[in-house]
Amino acid sequence: NSGGGGGGGSGGVTVITTSCSLSAPNGGGSLTGGTVTNITWTSAGTGITDANLYYSVDGGLNYGLIVAGTPNDGSQSWIVPNTATAKARVKVECRDSGGGSTTAMKDASDTDFTIALASALPVAPAPTPVTTTTSAALPRATANAAHPTSYPVD
């Protein structure tokens, strides 16, 4: 008696692959600070609900957030920052309903593009975080101790 083999059906494993691909800006060319351009991407598979978009001014070494959780509709308008660089890139990170993302769900510009300064706009540095404390949150003695009670007069 020989052991039986499996049933000969057409069963198998179905692999669903999700992916995300940046279409533009995808490298080369030049944009001008302060102008509006569209970041576009395509996605394939199921379950991608939204995307985070980022930009870099150092060839992709560091990225800053443009927008988080934009709908996965393949397009987002972007006001180009007025930061001169020949090493700009954009990155898209598609996410599923739980906020997860795999390597296949991320893509960045293939090569650098240039951002030219708009002479009519100021170049603004990144804001510095500020911690504030109101005197209402301090005990009166502490708040009063911070203010002198007498002033020298010459």
Side-chain angles (χ1 to χ4, degrees), residues 82-97:
N82 199 33
T83 305
T85 183
K87 294 182 167 280
R89 291 189 182 219
V90 169
K91 178 170 71 172
V92 60
E93 175 184 68
C94 292
R95 304 181 322 154
D96 61 27
S97 61

Side-chain angles (χ1 to χ4, degrees), residues 23-81:
S23 304
N26 204 24
S30 181
L31 300 174
T32 302
T35 61
V36 177
T37 192
N38 283 324
I39 299 171
T40 58
W41 67 95
T42 58
S43 61
T46 58
I48 297 175
T49 57
D50 62 24
N52 293 340
L53 302 173
Y54 305 88
Y55 77 101
S56 172
V57 294
D58 60 10
L61 296 175
N62 300 289
Y63 283 92
L65 183 67
I66 295 170
V67 64
T70 190
N72 183 36
D73 58 10
S75 182
Q76 173 70 40
S77 62
W78 175 44
I79 299 173
V80 179

